[in-house]
Amino acid sequence: MSTVEGTLLAHVTHTDDTHSLLTKASGGCLVRIEQFEPATFRFTDDTGRAAGTAGAGTFIRSWQLSLRTERGRRLLLTRRGHLSTEWQLTETDPHRSPAPEVLGRVTVSTHDVWIGLQQYLVETSAGLDAAERRTVIASVVCLHLLRRPPDSSSAPA
């Protein structure tokens, strides 16, 4: 993971089919991601404390991730349709309530279809604290895990 300018911020390591590790560029652990069932994820910090969750209704072609931060705040990462490349971060479902406040966006672009190389641009508002932003970043790793082609467990994000 890096800034738009290319400054390295963090590394994602997929340790096996159900565990991933998000570490700072300096090497310290940011969050461990554990996958349960096809589309349910739990985040823990370097001490093993709960740091959030993410879950989707279905494994294939999911259009919404339901997030819960370590303090219990519920957020939704939703895209308008299956072909949309932008996910909106809100507290209410944009499909059910008119014009919810957008707290952030995740825009996905594909750089190499053959190897599954994708880029995720994450923007968040000042209304999120550091722990909430960490949950959002971890959920982007989950988005990649849900969106990658079958049998591509080593495809980079």
Side-chain angles (χ1 to χ4, degrees), residues 8 25 34 47 54 65 71 99 106 117 157:
L8 184 62
E34 187 173 3
T47 65
L65 274 180
R71 291 189 181 105
V106 176
L117 183 62

Side-chain angles (χ1 to χ4, degrees), residues 11-69:
H11 295 280
V12 178
T13 305
H14 304 290
T15 56
D16 60 32
D17 288 343
T18 60
H19 293 83
S20 299
L21 182 63
L22 180 61
T23 58
K24 297 177 190 175
S26 62
C29 176
L30 287 172
V31 67
R32 287 178 175 79
I33 302 167
E34 187 173 3
Q35 184 173 359
F36 299 95
E37 302 173 9
T40 304
F41 302 88
R42 181 177 60 197
F43 313 137
T44 55
D45 64 15
D46 59 345
T47 65
R49 280 187 343 177
T53 62
T58 59
F59 181 65
I60 307 282
R61 300 192 187 278
S62 58
W63 55 273
Q64 187 174 71
L65 274 180
S66 183
L67 313 177
R68 185 179 300 206
T69 68

Side-chain angles (χ1 to χ4, degrees), residues 65-129:
L65 274 180
S66 183
L67 313 177
R68 185 179 300 206
T69 68
E70 67 184 59
R71 291 189 181 105
R73 185 176 184 184
R74 292 178 188 235
L75 300 170
L76 296 170
L77 200 51
T78 309
R79 64 180 170 166
R80 292 284 180 190
H82 292 301
L83 299 177
S84 177
T85 59
E86 181 181 281
W87 297 71
Q88 292 184 343
L89 182 68
T90 59
E91 286 188 286
T92 59
D93 189 341
H95 293 290
R96 293 193 168 87
S97 62
E101 179 185 2
V102 177
L103 301 171
R105 287 185 174 73
V106 176
T107 307
V108 182
S109 58
T110 301
H111 285 276
D112 190 328
V113 176
W114 185 254
I115 64 170
L117 183 62
Q118 296 174 327
Q119 179 176 334
Y120 297 82
L121 176 63
V122 180
E123 303 169 80
T124 59
S125 73
L128 299 176
D129 65 25

Side-chain angles (χ1 to χ4, degrees), residues 59-60 147-153:
F59 181 65
I60 307 282
R147 298 183 74 232
R148 67 183 177 198
D151 298 328
S152 65
S153 59

